[in-house]
């Protein structure tokens, strides 16, 4: 007997599509309950803060849209299509997000999160159609099928391992953010204030490592930049050192152009990645010829 089952998303629990309170009632907004939209941070497993919040009044008006903690939130529109997170407290989303309140008697919410995260391509391709803006409504969302472990305890064990890994990744991401901040400061110090080491400018050894501009390094006025730059430097464009190519998109409604072996890059593929090893969509030679 197989340890796995194929199940539609709609059978995992209750699917709730959010709603946006009317701007005519500013009292509906406040500081108490998260109001989650695709523009909020979906990069981490759990979302802890949002750009906007609702008041007690706003929450009560949307009582049928209330999400308990550990609901699985899936963005179902546009470039944010397929992004997934979980809420750590009572929340409301807008109508561009479908959320699953997982039936905890049979399924583990963390496990379902990772299953959906691993099926990002399924969510993206399900939304491909004749419209320019990819969208996945509640009915279509609920009909999507996942293959999952049918044993709840096994689900919990798998989710525990993945959650521990995610926690370590989050720590590393925070370290990377600090390093990035330091790099930005260094860039400003060197290439905006021009206080980079003397020998970097004049290609002469500087034993003391003195900063160029503040140590009396010669500056000359550049008419094009309307500012002073180190002597011997000039300005240019990216085209002075590289070739620039524009992209194109084959028609998404023509299936013959898709599901080939040629990677089709979009901004979503390269988000937060230094190297892109695979893409969500793949085209073929026919698709390339028609882009």
């Amino acid at each position: 007997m197989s340890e796995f089952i194929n199940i539609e998303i709609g059978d995992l629990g209750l699917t709730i599509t959010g709603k946006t309170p009317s701007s005519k009632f500013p009292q509906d907004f406040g500081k108490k309950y998260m109001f989650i939209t695709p523009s909020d941070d979906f990069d981490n497993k759990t979302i802890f803060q949002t750009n906007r919040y609702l008041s007690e009044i706003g929450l009560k008006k949307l009582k049928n849209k209330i999400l308990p903690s550990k609901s699985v939130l899936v963005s179902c529109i546009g470039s944010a299509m397929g992004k997934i997170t979980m809420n750590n407290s009572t929340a409301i989303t807008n109508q561009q997000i479908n959320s699953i309140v997982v039936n905890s008697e049979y399924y583990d919410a963390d496990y379902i999160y990772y299953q959906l995260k691993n099926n990002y391509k399924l969510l993206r391709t399900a939304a491909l159609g004749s419209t320019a803006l990819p969208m996945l409504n509640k009915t279509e969302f609920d009909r999507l099928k996942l293959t999952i472990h049918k044993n709840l305890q096994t689900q919990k064990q798998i989710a525990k391992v993945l959650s521990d890994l995610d926690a370590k990744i989050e720590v590393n991401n925070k370290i990377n953010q600090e390093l990035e901040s330091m790099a930005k400061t260094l860039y400003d110090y060197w290439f905006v204030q021009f206080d980079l080491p003397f020998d970097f400018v004049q290609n002469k050894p500087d034993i003391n490592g003195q900063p160029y501009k503040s140590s009396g390094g010669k500056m000359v006025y550049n008419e094009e930049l309307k500012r002073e730059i180190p002597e011997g430097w000039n300005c240019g464009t990216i085209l002075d050192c590289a070739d620039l190519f524009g992209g194109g998109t084959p028609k998404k409604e023509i299936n013959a152009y898709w599901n080939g072996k040629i990677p089709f890059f979009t901004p979503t593929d390269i988000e937060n990645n230094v190297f892109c090893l695979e893409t969500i969509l793949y085209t073929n030679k026919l698709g390339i010829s028609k882009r």
Side-chain angles (χ1 to χ4, degrees), residues 121 263-265 269-270 273 275-282:
K121 188 179 292 187
F264 180 73
F265 291 89
D269 293 308
I270 60 176
N273 293 315
F275 301 101
C276 185
L277 302 180
E278 63 177 356
T279 56
I280 298 165
L281 301 176
Y282 287 79

Side-chain angles (χ1 to χ4, degrees), residues 12 14 17 19 31 41 45 58 83 96 116 137-138 165 182 197 203 216 239 254 271 277 285:
L12 293 171
L14 176 65
T17 303
K19 185 177 181 180
K31 299 180 179 180
D41 185 8
K45 179 184 174 183
K83 288 192 172 185
Q96 297 172 343
L116 283 166
N137 62 40
K138 180 179 181 296
L165 288 173
M182 292 168 61
N203 198 26
L239 294 177
I254 301 180
E271 191 173 82
L277 302 180
K285 291 182 178 180

Side-chain angles (χ1 to χ4, degrees), residues 113-125:
Y113 163 84
Y114 286 112
Q115 277 292 331
L116 283 166
K117 193 85 171 176
N118 193 48
N119 280 277
Y120 180 64
K121 188 179 292 187
L122 170 70
L123 296 166
R124 292 287 300 187
T125 54

